Amino acid sequence: MSTGVAGGGSCVAGLGPASDWYRNIEARPPVEVVVGTRRFAPRHRVLGEAEAAEVIAAYEHRNRWARPILRRC
């Protein structure tokens, strides 16, 4: 998901903090991320509840097809 910040994005842990990748990134942040031909050193932070709700709402607005799927969870 795009955050509106240049070069920024969001990832959603479908299982929350129990997700393996989430626990891995908290324990040992990656040194490099590769997306297509782009390589960069990532920074991460966990969003608060209000900010996370805003990010999901903006994603739903841009991707109307996803709304029914997201609302089932």
Short mmCIF file of all heavy atoms in Angstrom, two decimals:
data_model
loop_
_atom_site.label_atom_id
_atom_site.label_comp_id
_atom_site.label_asym_id
_atom_site.label_seq_id
_atom_site.Cartn_x
_atom_site.Cartn_y
_atom_site.Cartn_z
N MET A 1 0.83 -1.18 0.00
CA MET A 1 0.00 0.00 0.00
C MET A 1 0.88 1.24 0.00
O MET A 1 1.87 1.27 0.70
CB MET A 1 -0.84 0.05 1.26
CG MET A 1 -1.98 -0.89 1.30
SD MET A 1 -2.89 -0.58 2.81
CE MET A 1 -3.05 -2.25 3.34
N SER A 2 0.49 2.22 -0.72
CA SER A 2 1.22 3.48 -0.71
C SER A 2 0.78 4.31 0.48
O SER A 2 -0.38 4.32 0.84
CB SER A 2 0.93 4.24 -2.00
OG SER A 2 1.49 5.52 -1.93
N THR A 3 1.70 5.01 1.09
CA THR A 3 1.37 5.85 2.25
C THR A 3 1.20 7.31 1.88
O THR A 3 0.80 8.10 2.70
CB THR A 3 2.48 5.77 3.31
OG1 THR A 3 3.69 6.25 2.71
CG2 THR A 3 2.65 4.38 3.84
N GLY A 4 1.52 7.65 0.65
CA GLY A 4 1.50 9.05 0.28
C GLY A 4 2.85 9.72 0.53
O GLY A 4 3.07 10.84 0.15
N VAL A 5 3.74 9.03 1.19
CA VAL A 5 5.09 9.54 1.43
C VAL A 5 5.96 9.06 0.29
O VAL A 5 5.91 7.89 -0.08
CB VAL A 5 5.65 9.00 2.78
CG1 VAL A 5 7.07 9.44 2.99
CG2 VAL A 5 4.76 9.45 3.92
N ALA A 6 6.75 9.95 -0.29
CA ALA A 6 7.59 9.57 -1.42
C ALA A 6 8.44 8.36 -1.06
O ALA A 6 9.19 8.36 -0.10
CB ALA A 6 8.49 10.74 -1.82
N GLY A 7 8.27 7.29 -1.84
CA GLY A 7 9.03 6.08 -1.61
C GLY A 7 8.52 5.23 -0.46
O GLY A 7 9.10 4.21 -0.14
N GLY A 8 7.45 5.66 0.18
CA GLY A 8 6.94 4.93 1.33
C GLY A 8 5.85 3.94 0.98
O GLY A 8 5.27 3.99 -0.10
N GLY A 9 5.60 3.03 1.86
CA GLY A 9 4.55 2.05 1.66
C GLY A 9 4.20 1.40 2.97
O GLY A 9 4.86 1.63 3.99
N SER A 10 3.14 0.62 2.95
CA SER A 10 2.71 -0.08 4.16
C SER A 10 2.51 -1.55 3.84
O SER A 10 2.13 -1.91 2.74
CB SER A 10 1.37 0.49 4.65
OG SER A 10 1.50 1.84 4.99
N CYS A 11 2.75 -2.38 4.82
CA CYS A 11 2.47 -3.81 4.74
C CYS A 11 1.50 -4.13 5.86
O CYS A 11 1.59 -3.57 6.94
CB CYS A 11 3.74 -4.63 4.94
SG CYS A 11 4.93 -4.42 3.63
N VAL A 12 0.60 -5.04 5.59
CA VAL A 12 -0.38 -5.43 6.59
C VAL A 12 -0.10 -6.87 7.00
O VAL A 12 0.02 -7.75 6.15
CB VAL A 12 -1.81 -5.31 6.04
CG1 VAL A 12 -2.83 -5.80 7.04
CG2 VAL A 12 -2.10 -3.87 5.63
N ALA A 13 -0.01 -7.10 8.29
CA ALA A 13 0.17 -8.46 8.81
C ALA A 13 -1.21 -9.04 9.06
O ALA A 13 -1.87 -8.70 10.04
CB ALA A 13 1.00 -8.43 10.09
N GLY A 14 -1.65 -9.91 8.15
CA GLY A 14 -2.98 -10.49 8.25
C GLY A 14 -3.24 -11.20 9.56
O GLY A 14 -4.36 -11.21 10.07
N LEU A 15 -2.22 -11.78 10.15
CA LEU A 15 -2.37 -12.47 11.43
C LEU A 15 -1.88 -11.60 12.58
O LEU A 15 -1.69 -12.08 13.70
CB LEU A 15 -1.59 -13.79 11.42
CG LEU A 15 -2.04 -14.80 10.37
CD1 LEU A 15 -1.13 -16.02 10.38
CD2 LEU A 15 -3.48 -15.22 10.59
N GLY A 16 -1.67 -10.32 12.30
CA GLY A 16 -1.20 -9.41 13.34
C GLY A 16 0.21 -9.76 13.79
O GLY A 16 1.00 -10.32 13.03
N PRO A 17 0.52 -9.47 15.05
CA PRO A 17 1.87 -9.72 15.55
C PRO A 17 2.28 -11.19 15.57
O PRO A 17 3.44 -11.51 15.77
CB PRO A 17 1.83 -9.17 16.98
CG PRO A 17 0.66 -8.26 17.03
CD PRO A 17 -0.32 -8.77 16.01
N ALA A 18 1.35 -12.10 15.32
CA ALA A 18 1.68 -13.53 15.28
C ALA A 18 2.27 -13.94 13.93
O ALA A 18 2.80 -15.04 13.80
CB ALA A 18 0.44 -14.37 15.57
N SER A 19 2.19 -13.07 12.92
CA SER A 19 2.74 -13.38 11.60
C SER A 19 4.25 -13.57 11.69
O SER A 19 4.95 -12.77 12.32
CB SER A 19 2.44 -12.25 10.61
OG SER A 19 1.07 -12.07 10.44
N ASP A 20 4.74 -14.64 11.05
CA ASP A 20 6.17 -14.92 11.10
C ASP A 20 7.00 -13.76 10.57
O ASP A 20 8.00 -13.37 11.17
CB ASP A 20 6.51 -16.19 10.31
CG ASP A 20 6.05 -17.45 11.02
OD1 ASP A 20 5.82 -17.40 12.25
OD2 ASP A 20 5.94 -18.48 10.35
N TRP A 21 6.61 -13.20 9.40
CA TRP A 21 7.42 -12.13 8.81
C TRP A 21 7.44 -10.91 9.72
O TRP A 21 8.44 -10.21 9.83
CB TRP A 21 6.96 -11.77 7.40
CG TRP A 21 5.66 -11.03 7.34
CD1 TRP A 21 4.42 -11.56 7.13
CD2 TRP A 21 5.47 -9.62 7.46
NE1 TRP A 21 3.47 -10.56 7.15
CE2 TRP A 21 4.09 -9.36 7.34
CE3 TRP A 21 6.33 -8.55 7.68
CZ2 TRP A 21 3.55 -8.08 7.43
CZ3 TRP A 21 5.79 -7.27 7.76
CH2 TRP A 21 4.42 -7.05 7.64
N TYR A 22 6.34 -10.66 10.42
CA TYR A 22 6.27 -9.52 11.33
C TYR A 22 7.24 -9.73 12.50
O TYR A 22 8.00 -8.84 12.86
CB TYR A 22 4.83 -9.35 11.84
CG TYR A 22 4.67 -8.22 12.82
CD1 TYR A 22 4.43 -6.93 12.38
CD2 TYR A 22 4.75 -8.44 14.19
CE1 TYR A 22 4.28 -5.89 13.28
CE2 TYR A 22 4.61 -7.41 15.10
CZ TYR A 22 4.38 -6.14 14.64
OH TYR A 22 4.24 -5.10 15.52
N ARG A 23 7.22 -10.93 13.07
CA ARG A 23 8.12 -11.22 14.17
C ARG A 23 9.57 -11.16 13.71
O ARG A 23 10.45 -10.68 14.44
CB ARG A 23 7.80 -12.58 14.78
CG ARG A 23 6.46 -12.56 15.49
CD ARG A 23 6.16 -13.83 16.19
NE ARG A 23 6.44 -14.97 15.34
CZ ARG A 23 6.26 -16.21 15.69
NH1 ARG A 23 5.82 -16.51 16.89
NH2 ARG A 23 6.53 -17.19 14.86
N ASN A 24 9.84 -11.63 12.50
CA ASN A 24 11.21 -11.58 11.96
C ASN A 24 11.70 -10.16 11.80
O ASN A 24 12.84 -9.84 12.15
CB ASN A 24 11.28 -12.31 10.62
CG ASN A 24 11.16 -13.80 10.77
OD1 ASN A 24 11.34 -14.36 11.84
ND2 ASN A 24 10.80 -14.47 9.67
N ILE A 25 10.87 -9.28 11.26
CA ILE A 25 11.31 -7.90 11.02
C ILE A 25 11.48 -7.14 12.33
O ILE A 25 12.33 -6.27 12.44
CB ILE A 25 10.35 -7.17 10.05
CG1 ILE A 25 11.05 -5.97 9.42
CG2 ILE A 25 9.08 -6.72 10.74
CD1 ILE A 25 10.29 -5.33 8.29
N GLU A 26 10.70 -7.50 13.34
CA GLU A 26 10.87 -6.88 14.65
C GLU A 26 12.16 -7.36 15.31
O GLU A 26 12.86 -6.59 15.94
CB GLU A 26 9.67 -7.20 15.55
CG GLU A 26 8.42 -6.42 15.20
CD GLU A 26 8.57 -4.93 15.47
OE1 GLU A 26 8.87 -4.55 16.62
OE2 GLU A 26 8.39 -4.15 14.52
N ALA A 27 12.47 -8.65 15.16
CA ALA A 27 13.67 -9.21 15.78
C ALA A 27 14.95 -8.78 15.07
O ALA A 27 15.96 -8.50 15.71
CB ALA A 27 13.58 -10.74 15.78
N ARG A 28 14.90 -8.74 13.74
CA ARG A 28 16.10 -8.42 12.96
C ARG A 28 15.68 -7.72 11.68
O ARG A 28 15.40 -8.37 10.67
CB ARG A 28 16.85 -9.70 12.64
CG ARG A 28 18.23 -9.45 12.13
CD ARG A 28 19.03 -10.73 12.01
NE ARG A 28 18.49 -11.77 12.89
CZ ARG A 28 18.39 -13.05 12.56
NH1 ARG A 28 18.83 -13.47 11.41
NH2 ARG A 28 17.88 -13.92 13.38
N PRO A 29 15.63 -6.38 11.69
CA PRO A 29 15.22 -5.66 10.48
C PRO A 29 16.09 -6.01 9.28
O PRO A 29 17.29 -6.23 9.43
CB PRO A 29 15.40 -4.19 10.86
CG PRO A 29 15.34 -4.17 12.35
CD PRO A 29 15.94 -5.49 12.79
N PRO A 30 15.50 -6.09 8.10
CA PRO A 30 16.28 -6.43 6.91
C PRO A 30 17.28 -5.34 6.54
O PRO A 30 17.05 -4.17 6.79
CB PRO A 30 15.22 -6.58 5.81
CG PRO A 30 14.04 -5.81 6.29
CD PRO A 30 14.09 -5.86 7.79
N VAL A 31 18.38 -5.77 5.97
CA VAL A 31 19.43 -4.85 5.54
C VAL A 31 19.08 -4.26 4.18
O VAL A 31 19.38 -3.11 3.89
CB VAL A 31 20.78 -5.59 5.47
CG1 VAL A 31 21.86 -4.69 4.91
CG2 VAL A 31 21.16 -6.11 6.84
N GLU A 32 18.39 -5.06 3.36
CA GLU A 32 18.06 -4.62 2.00
C GLU A 32 16.73 -5.24 1.57
O GLU A 32 16.42 -6.37 1.91
CB GLU A 32 19.16 -5.05 1.03
CG GLU A 32 18.91 -4.62 -0.40
CD GLU A 32 20.02 -5.06 -1.32
OE1 GLU A 32 20.25 -6.28 -1.43
OE2 GLU A 32 20.66 -4.19 -1.91
N VAL A 33 15.96 -4.46 0.83
CA VAL A 33 14.72 -4.94 0.23
C VAL A 33 14.84 -4.75 -1.27
O VAL A 33 15.37 -3.74 -1.74
CB VAL A 33 13.49 -4.16 0.76
CG1 VAL A 33 12.24 -4.51 -0.01
CG2 VAL A 33 13.31 -4.42 2.24
N VAL A 34 14.36 -5.74 -2.03
CA VAL A 34 14.40 -5.67 -3.49
C VAL A 34 12.95 -5.72 -3.98
O VAL A 34 12.21 -6.64 -3.67
CB VAL A 34 15.20 -6.83 -4.10
CG1 VAL A 34 15.20 -6.74 -5.62
CG2 VAL A 34 16.61 -6.84 -3.55
N VAL A 35 12.56 -4.69 -4.74
CA VAL A 35 11.24 -4.63 -5.37
C VAL A 35 11.48 -4.39 -6.85
O VAL A 35 11.89 -3.29 -7.24
CB VAL A 35 10.36 -3.51 -4.77
CG1 VAL A 35 9.02 -3.46 -5.46
CG2 VAL A 35 10.19 -3.70 -3.27
N GLY A 36 11.28 -5.42 -7.65
CA GLY A 36 11.60 -5.30 -9.08
C GLY A 36 13.09 -5.09 -9.23
O GLY A 36 13.90 -5.88 -8.76
N THR A 37 13.45 -3.98 -9.86
CA THR A 37 14.87 -3.68 -10.05
C THR A 37 15.38 -2.69 -9.00
O THR A 37 16.54 -2.29 -9.04
CB THR A 37 15.11 -3.09 -11.46
OG1 THR A 37 14.32 -1.90 -11.59
CG2 THR A 37 14.73 -4.08 -12.54
N ARG A 38 14.51 -2.29 -8.10
CA ARG A 38 14.87 -1.31 -7.07
C ARG A 38 15.37 -2.00 -5.81
O ARG A 38 14.77 -2.94 -5.34
CB ARG A 38 13.62 -0.50 -6.72
CG ARG A 38 13.87 0.97 -6.63
CD ARG A 38 12.58 1.71 -6.41
NE ARG A 38 12.57 2.10 -5.02
CZ ARG A 38 11.49 2.22 -4.28
NH1 ARG A 38 10.32 1.99 -4.78
NH2 ARG A 38 11.58 2.58 -3.03
N ARG A 39 16.48 -1.52 -5.28
CA ARG A 39 17.03 -2.03 -4.02
C ARG A 39 17.17 -0.85 -3.06
O ARG A 39 17.60 0.22 -3.45
CB ARG A 39 18.42 -2.64 -4.25
CG ARG A 39 18.42 -3.86 -5.11
CD ARG A 39 19.85 -4.30 -5.41
NE ARG A 39 19.84 -5.48 -6.24
CZ ARG A 39 19.86 -6.71 -5.78
NH1 ARG A 39 19.91 -6.93 -4.48
NH2 ARG A 39 19.82 -7.73 -6.60
N PHE A 40 16.79 -1.08 -1.81
CA PHE A 40 16.92 0.00 -0.84
C PHE A 40 17.03 -0.57 0.58
O PHE A 40 16.64 -1.71 0.84
CB PHE A 40 15.76 0.98 -0.94
CG PHE A 40 14.40 0.35 -0.75
CD1 PHE A 40 13.80 0.33 0.50
CD2 PHE A 40 13.73 -0.21 -1.82
CE1 PHE A 40 12.56 -0.25 0.66
CE2 PHE A 40 12.48 -0.78 -1.67
CZ PHE A 40 11.90 -0.80 -0.41
N ALA A 41 17.57 0.25 1.47
CA ALA A 41 17.65 -0.10 2.89
C ALA A 41 16.35 0.37 3.54
O ALA A 41 16.07 1.57 3.56
CB ALA A 41 18.84 0.58 3.54
N PRO A 42 15.54 -0.55 4.03
CA PRO A 42 14.23 -0.15 4.57
C PRO A 42 14.30 0.37 6.00
O PRO A 42 15.24 0.08 6.75
CB PRO A 42 13.45 -1.46 4.54
CG PRO A 42 14.50 -2.49 4.79
CD PRO A 42 15.73 -1.98 4.08
N ARG A 43 13.31 1.14 6.35
CA ARG A 43 13.05 1.54 7.73
C ARG A 43 11.62 1.10 8.01
O ARG A 43 10.78 1.13 7.13
CB ARG A 43 13.15 3.04 7.90
CG ARG A 43 14.55 3.57 7.75
CD ARG A 43 14.61 5.04 8.10
NE ARG A 43 13.43 5.77 7.68
CZ ARG A 43 13.40 6.78 6.84
NH1 ARG A 43 14.51 7.21 6.31
NH2 ARG A 43 12.28 7.39 6.52
N HIS A 44 11.33 0.71 9.21
CA HIS A 44 9.96 0.32 9.52
C HIS A 44 9.54 0.85 10.88
O HIS A 44 10.36 1.18 11.72
CB HIS A 44 9.80 -1.20 9.47
CG HIS A 44 10.31 -1.91 10.69
ND1 HIS A 44 11.64 -2.16 10.87
CD2 HIS A 44 9.68 -2.40 11.76
CE1 HIS A 44 11.80 -2.79 12.02
NE2 HIS A 44 10.62 -2.95 12.59
N ARG A 45 8.24 0.95 11.02
CA ARG A 45 7.64 1.31 12.30
C ARG A 45 6.23 0.72 12.32
O ARG A 45 5.64 0.47 11.27
CB ARG A 45 7.60 2.82 12.51
CG ARG A 45 6.67 3.55 11.56
CD ARG A 45 6.79 5.06 11.75
NE ARG A 45 5.98 5.77 10.78
CZ ARG A 45 4.71 6.11 10.96
NH1 ARG A 45 4.11 5.82 12.08
NH2 ARG A 45 4.06 6.76 10.03
N VAL A 46 5.72 0.49 13.49
CA VAL A 46 4.37 -0.04 13.65
C VAL A 46 3.42 1.14 13.81
O VAL A 46 3.66 2.04 14.61
CB VAL A 46 4.29 -0.97 14.88
CG1 VAL A 46 2.87 -1.46 15.09
CG2 VAL A 46 5.25 -2.14 14.72
N LEU A 47 2.37 1.15 13.00
CA LEU A 47 1.40 2.24 13.06
C LEU A 47 0.50 2.09 14.28
O LEU A 47 0.17 0.97 14.68
CB LEU A 47 0.51 2.23 11.81
CG LEU A 47 1.21 2.32 10.46
CD1 LEU A 47 0.18 2.32 9.34
CD2 LEU A 47 2.09 3.55 10.38
N GLY A 48 0.09 3.22 14.82
CA GLY A 48 -0.91 3.21 15.88
C GLY A 48 -2.27 2.87 15.28
O GLY A 48 -2.44 2.87 14.06
N GLU A 49 -3.23 2.59 16.11
CA GLU A 49 -4.54 2.16 15.64
C GLU A 49 -5.21 3.19 14.73
O GLU A 49 -5.72 2.84 13.66
CB GLU A 49 -5.45 1.85 16.83
CG GLU A 49 -6.73 1.18 16.44
CD GLU A 49 -7.56 0.74 17.63
OE1 GLU A 49 -6.98 0.44 18.69
OE2 GLU A 49 -8.79 0.69 17.48
N ALA A 50 -5.18 4.45 15.10
CA ALA A 50 -5.83 5.50 14.30
C ALA A 50 -5.14 5.65 12.94
O ALA A 50 -5.81 5.75 11.91
CB ALA A 50 -5.82 6.83 15.06
N GLU A 51 -3.82 5.67 12.93
CA GLU A 51 -3.09 5.82 11.67
C GLU A 51 -3.29 4.59 10.77
O GLU A 51 -3.46 4.72 9.56
CB GLU A 51 -1.60 6.04 11.93
CG GLU A 51 -0.83 6.41 10.69
CD GLU A 51 0.64 6.69 10.97
OE1 GLU A 51 1.13 6.45 12.09
OE2 GLU A 51 1.31 7.15 10.02
N ALA A 52 -3.31 3.40 11.38
CA ALA A 52 -3.54 2.18 10.61
C ALA A 52 -4.93 2.21 9.97
O ALA A 52 -5.10 1.84 8.81
CB ALA A 52 -3.38 0.95 11.50
N ALA A 53 -5.93 2.68 10.71
CA ALA A 53 -7.29 2.79 10.17
C ALA A 53 -7.33 3.75 8.99
O ALA A 53 -8.00 3.49 7.99
CB ALA A 53 -8.26 3.23 11.27
N GLU A 54 -6.58 4.85 9.07
CA GLU A 54 -6.51 5.81 7.96
C GLU A 54 -5.87 5.17 6.73
O GLU A 54 -6.35 5.38 5.60
CB GLU A 54 -5.72 7.05 8.36
CG GLU A 54 -6.41 7.95 9.34
CD GLU A 54 -5.52 9.11 9.77
OE1 GLU A 54 -4.55 9.42 9.06
OE2 GLU A 54 -5.81 9.69 10.83
N VAL A 55 -4.81 4.42 6.92
CA VAL A 55 -4.11 3.77 5.81
C VAL A 55 -5.04 2.76 5.13
O VAL A 55 -5.14 2.71 3.90
CB VAL A 55 -2.80 3.10 6.27
CG1 VAL A 55 -2.21 2.21 5.20
CG2 VAL A 55 -1.78 4.17 6.67
N ILE A 56 -5.73 1.95 5.92
CA ILE A 56 -6.66 0.95 5.36
C ILE A 56 -7.80 1.64 4.64
O ILE A 56 -8.20 1.23 3.54
CB ILE A 56 -7.19 0.02 6.46
CG1 ILE A 56 -6.07 -0.84 7.02
CG2 ILE A 56 -8.34 -0.84 5.96
CD1 ILE A 56 -5.52 -1.87 6.05
N ALA A 57 -8.36 2.71 5.21
CA ALA A 57 -9.46 3.44 4.57
C ALA A 57 -9.02 4.02 3.23
O ALA A 57 -9.75 3.96 2.23
CB ALA A 57 -9.98 4.54 5.49
N ALA A 58 -7.82 4.58 3.17
CA ALA A 58 -7.31 5.14 1.92
C ALA A 58 -7.11 4.03 0.88
O ALA A 58 -7.41 4.21 -0.30
CB ALA A 58 -5.99 5.89 2.16
N TYR A 59 -6.63 2.87 1.32
CA TYR A 59 -6.44 1.73 0.42
C TYR A 59 -7.79 1.27 -0.12
O TYR A 59 -7.94 1.02 -1.32
CB TYR A 59 -5.74 0.59 1.16
CG TYR A 59 -5.53 -0.62 0.29
CD1 TYR A 59 -4.47 -0.67 -0.60
CD2 TYR A 59 -6.40 -1.71 0.34
CE1 TYR A 59 -4.26 -1.77 -1.42
CE2 TYR A 59 -6.20 -2.82 -0.46
CZ TYR A 59 -5.14 -2.84 -1.34
OH TYR A 59 -4.94 -3.94 -2.14
N GLU A 60 -8.79 1.16 0.75
CA GLU A 60 -10.13 0.77 0.32
C GLU A 60 -10.68 1.75 -0.71
O GLU A 60 -11.32 1.35 -1.67
CB GLU A 60 -11.09 0.71 1.51
CG GLU A 60 -10.89 -0.47 2.40
CD GLU A 60 -11.87 -0.46 3.57
OE1 GLU A 60 -12.43 0.61 3.91
OE2 GLU A 60 -12.08 -1.54 4.15
N HIS A 61 -10.44 3.02 -0.48
CA HIS A 61 -10.95 4.04 -1.40
C HIS A 61 -10.31 3.90 -2.79
O HIS A 61 -10.99 4.05 -3.81
CB HIS A 61 -10.67 5.44 -0.83
CG HIS A 61 -11.20 6.53 -1.69
ND1 HIS A 61 -12.55 6.82 -1.77
CD2 HIS A 61 -10.58 7.39 -2.52
CE1 HIS A 61 -12.71 7.82 -2.63
NE2 HIS A 61 -11.53 8.19 -3.09
N ARG A 62 -9.02 3.59 -2.83
CA ARG A 62 -8.32 3.44 -4.10
C ARG A 62 -8.59 2.09 -4.76
O ARG A 62 -8.40 1.94 -5.96
CB ARG A 62 -6.80 3.59 -3.90
CG ARG A 62 -6.36 4.99 -3.56
CD ARG A 62 -4.83 5.11 -3.58
NE ARG A 62 -4.13 4.06 -2.88
CZ ARG A 62 -3.86 4.06 -1.57
NH1 ARG A 62 -4.24 5.07 -0.82
NH2 ARG A 62 -3.20 3.05 -1.03
N ASN A 63 -8.99 1.11 -3.99
CA ASN A 63 -9.18 -0.25 -4.49
C ASN A 63 -10.54 -0.78 -4.03
O ASN A 63 -10.63 -1.63 -3.15
CB ASN A 63 -8.06 -1.16 -3.95
CG ASN A 63 -6.70 -0.68 -4.39
OD1 ASN A 63 -6.27 -0.96 -5.50
ND2 ASN A 63 -6.02 0.04 -3.53
N ARG A 64 -11.59 -0.28 -4.65
CA ARG A 64 -12.96 -0.62 -4.23
C ARG A 64 -13.21 -2.12 -4.22
O ARG A 64 -13.99 -2.61 -3.42
CB ARG A 64 -13.98 0.06 -5.14
CG ARG A 64 -13.84 1.55 -5.19
CD ARG A 64 -14.74 2.20 -4.22
NE ARG A 64 -14.64 3.65 -4.38
CZ ARG A 64 -14.89 4.47 -3.41
NH1 ARG A 64 -15.28 4.03 -2.26
NH2 ARG A 64 -14.78 5.76 -3.60
N TRP A 65 -12.56 -2.87 -5.10
CA TRP A 65 -12.75 -4.31 -5.16
C TRP A 65 -12.31 -5.00 -3.87
O TRP A 65 -12.78 -6.08 -3.53
CB TRP A 65 -11.99 -4.91 -6.35
CG TRP A 65 -10.50 -4.67 -6.25
CD1 TRP A 65 -9.81 -3.61 -6.77
CD2 TRP A 65 -9.55 -5.45 -5.54
NE1 TRP A 65 -8.48 -3.70 -6.44
CE2 TRP A 65 -8.30 -4.83 -5.68
CE3 TRP A 65 -9.63 -6.63 -4.81
CZ2 TRP A 65 -7.14 -5.33 -5.10
CZ3 TRP A 65 -8.46 -7.12 -4.24
CH2 TRP A 65 -7.24 -6.48 -4.40
N ALA A 66 -11.38 -4.38 -3.14
CA ALA A 66 -10.83 -5.00 -1.93
C ALA A 66 -11.72 -4.80 -0.71
O ALA A 66 -11.61 -5.54 0.26
CB ALA A 66 -9.44 -4.44 -1.65
N ARG A 67 -12.60 -3.84 -0.75
CA ARG A 67 -13.41 -3.51 0.43
C ARG A 67 -14.17 -4.72 0.99
O ARG A 67 -14.09 -4.98 2.19
CB ARG A 67 -14.36 -2.37 0.11
CG ARG A 67 -15.13 -1.94 1.33
CD ARG A 67 -16.09 -0.79 1.01
NE ARG A 67 -16.76 -0.42 2.22
CZ ARG A 67 -16.60 0.71 2.86
NH1 ARG A 67 -15.78 1.61 2.37
NH2 ARG A 67 -17.24 0.95 3.96
N PRO A 68 -14.91 -5.49 0.16
CA PRO A 68 -15.62 -6.64 0.73
C PRO A 68 -14.69 -7.66 1.39
O PRO A 68 -15.04 -8.28 2.40
CB PRO A 68 -16.33 -7.26 -0.46
CG PRO A 68 -16.37 -6.20 -1.50
CD PRO A 68 -15.17 -5.34 -1.26
N ILE A 69 -13.51 -7.80 0.84
CA ILE A 69 -12.54 -8.76 1.40
C ILE A 69 -12.03 -8.25 2.74
O ILE A 69 -11.97 -8.98 3.73
CB ILE A 69 -11.37 -8.99 0.41
CG1 ILE A 69 -11.91 -9.60 -0.88
CG2 ILE A 69 -10.28 -9.84 1.05
CD1 ILE A 69 -10.94 -9.56 -2.01
N LEU A 70 -11.67 -6.97 2.79
CA LEU A 70 -11.14 -6.39 4.02
C LEU A 70 -12.20 -6.34 5.12
O LEU A 70 -11.89 -6.50 6.29
CB LEU A 70 -10.59 -4.99 3.75
CG LEU A 70 -9.36 -4.92 2.87
CD1 LEU A 70 -9.07 -3.48 2.47
CD2 LEU A 70 -8.17 -5.56 3.54
N ARG A 71 -13.43 -6.11 4.75
CA ARG A 71 -14.51 -5.99 5.73
C ARG A 71 -14.92 -7.33 6.32
O ARG A 71 -15.57 -7.37 7.35
CB ARG A 71 -15.73 -5.31 5.11
CG ARG A 71 -15.49 -3.86 4.74
CD ARG A 71 -15.24 -3.06 5.97
NE ARG A 71 -14.77 -1.74 5.65
CZ ARG A 71 -14.72 -0.78 6.55
NH1 ARG A 71 -15.10 -0.97 7.77
NH2 ARG A 71 -14.26 0.40 6.20
N ARG A 72 -14.56 -8.44 5.67
CA ARG A 72 -14.87 -9.76 6.22
C ARG A 72 -13.98 -10.10 7.39
O ARG A 72 -14.33 -10.92 8.22
CB ARG A 72 -14.68 -10.85 5.16
CG ARG A 72 -15.81 -10.97 4.21
CD ARG A 72 -15.72 -12.28 3.48
NE ARG A 72 -14.39 -12.55 2.99
CZ ARG A 72 -14.11 -13.00 1.79
NH1 ARG A 72 -15.07 -13.25 0.94
NH2 ARG A 72 -12.86 -13.22 1.42
N CYS A 73 -12.81 -9.50 7.44
CA CYS A 73 -11.82 -9.85 8.47
C CYS A 73 -12.15 -9.27 9.82
O CYS A 73 -12.74 -8.33 10.02
CB CYS A 73 -10.43 -9.40 8.03
SG CYS A 73 -9.93 -10.16 6.48
#
